[in-house]
Amino acid sequence: MANVSQPLPIRILGTGEHIPSTCIESHALDERWKKKSGWTFKHSGIERRYYASPDETTSLMGARAARSALATAGMEAHEIDCIVSACSVMEQAIPCTGVLIQRHLGLGESGIPAFDINATCLSFIAALDLLGVAIAAGRYRRVLVVSSEIASAGLREDDAETTMLFGDGAAAVILGRATGVDGSEILGTHFETFSVGAGLCQVKSGGTRIRPRTQMDEFLRGACFDMQGRATYRMAAQRLPIFLDRLFERANVALKDFACIVPHQASAKALDHLQATLQLPKDLLVRVLAKRGNQMAASIPVTLHHAITMGRVQRGDMMALVGSGAGLSFGGAVLKY
């Protein structure tokens, strides 16, 4: 039996999104792969996704999403006292992406701490969990969390099964301490990792495992994303129901309490499985997959941004953020917005 979490007085002060410049319609991918018209949409459930241009770096996109979130919160960049990059893939190995986002925000002389939290596609939920505790403890007052991804940089153009699922994008969320009167809370979080699935989704290069000075050919091969899609789906689908039961138990909530559920937009098949597993009415699950694709770590905060801006969740409403990531890991958070 999972322990019931202690609620944390955390409030979402603002959210923002950056949409990259190049729109890739699914019919264009049909032409690339010499498939019948409609093949990509039929197999992915995605109408379009966006790719970053060569000038749109991870940190630049993240900073643009951050400025949008700051405007929504009615704040200036210098009012933030911590910057956290929550991405699956860093812009470069050193320094961390949080540093580069700080620089793009014009805060290079500010001294505001900037660092990364990486849990692949669950990076935003991991950052929410860890920074929520830090804010509640008084370590920070207002934290900027940015998830920015350029999935297209690591896709193999001939791998239709994988490439059709992914898109680029960025989202930012500003977190602060809630007051007693506004009622915003993190009611509970929960994470589980099953490293038996560590080989199912990988980018092998970019760290110290493959060394370009002596293994350049292997380094170049390993720079692209490899995913065993069917095996990943089977493993995730098998473990998801038990994970969700534990998450809701820790938060001491039931499905009837939720105004919406904000999931990682992994694939249409994964979203359909989540809906069937929880027996959800169609309007409870927030979906942006068809217009964005799988944006890796940016997926959950982009979907959260849409849930808020489209009125799917109002102040005082309960929502759950849930997803899975390479590892294989599961993560979730239950919030009162």
Side-chain angles (χ1 to χ4, degrees), residues 23-26 29 46 48-51 164 166-167 292:
C23 179
I24 306 295
E25 302 277 356
S26 281
L29 297 180
I46 299 167
R48 65 181 66 95
R49 73 285 289 146
Y50 294 85
Y51 286 177
M164 66 181 176
F166 289 91
R292 296 290 186 272

Side-chain angles (χ1 to χ4, degrees), residues 124-143:
F124 176 76
I125 297 180
L128 176 67
D129 180 36
L130 297 172
L131 274 302
V133 173
I135 293 169
R139 178 63 183 85
Y140 303 115
R141 294 176 302 130
R142 304 180 191 92
V143 176

Side-chain angles (χ1 to χ4, degrees), residues 47-320:
E47 298 172 14
R48 65 181 66 95
R49 73 285 289 146
Y50 294 85
Y51 286 177
S53 71
D55 296 331
E56 288 177 295
T57 62
T58 298
S59 57
L60 176 65
M61 295 199 309
R64 288 175 175 171
R67 288 194 179 95
S68 177
L70 286 164
T72 301
M75 296 172 57
E76 299 292 335
H78 65 82
E79 296 180 84
I80 296 296
D81 56 9
C82 183
I83 298 169
V84 176
S85 172
C87 307
S88 297
V89 182
M90 298 171 66
E91 181 170 319
Q92 60 189 66
I94 295 174
C96 69
T97 305
V99 169
L100 304 179
I101 291 171
Q102 188 214 59
R103 185 171 64 183
H104 275 298
L105 290 173
L107 299 172
E109 293 281 1
S110 68
I112 295 170
F115 52 87
D116 290 10
I117 292 175
N118 188 326
T120 64
C121 293
L122 297 174
S123 295
F124 176 76
I125 297 180
L128 176 67
D129 180 36
L130 297 172
L131 274 302
V133 173
I135 293 169
R139 178 63 183 85
Y140 303 115
R141 294 176 302 130
R142 304 180 191 92
V143 176
L144 170 64
V145 180
V146 180
S147 296
S148 180
E149 301 281 21
I150 304 180
S152 61
L155 297 175
R156 301 181 192 276
E157 290 199 357
D158 60 347
D159 182 2
E161 183 178 339
T162 299
T163 296
M164 66 181 176
L165 296 176
F166 289 91
D168 305 339
V173 177
I174 300 171
L175 304 173
R177 187 180 178 93
T179 65
V181 293
D182 60 36
S184 297
E185 292 179 308
I186 297 176
L187 294 171
T189 60
H190 185 56
F191 294 86
E192 295 180 6
T193 296
F194 302 92
S195 57
V196 66
L200 297 178
C201 300
Q202 297 187 86
V203 177
K204 294 181 180 179
S205 297
T208 59
R209 178 178 177 178
I210 302 175
R211 304 179 185 188
R213 285 181 299 172
T214 57
Q215 301 167 285
M216 180 55 75
D217 289 344
E218 187 177 353
F219 182 86
L220 293 174
R221 286 194 299 272
C224 289
F225 177 61
D226 286 319
M227 179 174 71
Q228 300 176 43
R230 294 175 186 177
T232 301
Y233 173 79
R234 286 195 300 269
M235 186 174 175
Q238 182 182 44
R239 288 167 169 78
L240 180 65
I242 296 173
F243 165 77
L244 291 172
D245 286 344
R246 290 171 178 156
L247 170 64
F248 297 157
E249 184 179 353
R250 284 185 63 83
N252 196 26
V253 295
L255 272 176
K256 63 179 177 58
D257 300 324
F258 294 116
C260 69
I261 293 178
V262 174
H264 172 44
Q265 309 288 299
S267 68
K269 189 176 182 180
L271 292 173
D272 290 343
H273 177 74
L274 177 62
Q275 188 162 334
T277 296
L278 297 179
Q279 298 181 322
L280 300 175
K282 287 186 177 181
D283 60 350
L284 198 62
L285 200 66
V286 183
R287 296 185 184 228
V288 301
L289 180 76
K291 301 295 194 298
R292 296 290 186 272
N294 180 340
Q295 297 172 296
M296 303 197 302
S299 178
I300 288 176
V302 164
T303 307
L304 172 63
H305 173 69
H306 278 250
I308 293 170
T309 57
M310 299 303 292
R312 297 287 298 274
V313 60
Q314 306 290 335
R315 286 296 183 186
D317 285 347
M318 198 93 69
M319 62 179 165

